[in-house]
Amino acid sequence: KDEPFLDFFFRRVRPNTSKAHIDQYPFVSPCGKELNFLRPEDTALVFSRLQSGRLYYSPTLYVPFQPDKLSVSDLGRMYHPAPSRLAGEGGVGLVEGVVNEIL
């Protein structure tokens, strides 16, 4: 794992407004003049670590943990608000199973 690259990549993830492949790839991560297209199975971000009141979605990138904002889908998946650049207000990230076990 290249931690600086992961932070670089995830810091730039945003909805695909390029009009290129928009039906197949709802998110992009720009890198210079290139676009890295993303087609996540569920959400663009997955929270994989809870530490000191922070939910991490990359080695050093996090959002403040807000337990009152957690939601659970009909399939039993847990979600937490994601950075607003991903989907405006209401954008969420999947809370990975490891973090679920802590909660």
Side-chain angles (χ1 to χ4, degrees):
K1 295 181 183 178
D2 184 346
E3 291 184 359
F5 172 76
L6 290 172
D7 284 347
F8 174 86
F9 182 85
F10 283 107
R11 186 176 286 117
R12 287 159 177 73
V13 171
R14 55 191 84 293
N16 181 359
T17 58
S18 73
K19 299 182 183 174
H21 312 293
I22 196 147
D23 291 338
Q24 294 177 308
Y25 300 98
F27 296 95
V28 295
S29 180
C31 180
K33 293 181 180 183
E34 297 180 7
L35 289 177
N36 296 293
F37 292 92
L38 287 86
R39 181 179 45 224
E41 182 178 320
D42 191 349
T43 63
L45 297 183
V46 175
F47 296 107
S48 59
R49 182 171 46 127
L50 174 61
Q51 183 178 4
S52 303
R54 299 171 175 172
L55 268 177
Y56 287 83
Y57 57 93
S58 191
T60 67
L61 303 177
Y62 63 87
V63 297
F65 179 53
Q66 301 172 325
D68 58 317
K69 303 279 178 140
L70 290 169
S71 61
V72 179
S73 73
D74 292 340
L75 297 174
R77 291 183 173 186
M78 186 177 292
Y79 299 93
H80 185 276
S84 60
R85 68 179 157 72
L86 287 178
E89 292 301 313
V92 296
L94 180 66
V95 178
E96 192 174 58
V98 174
V99 177
N100 280 338
E101 292 175 17
I102 295 170
L103 300 175

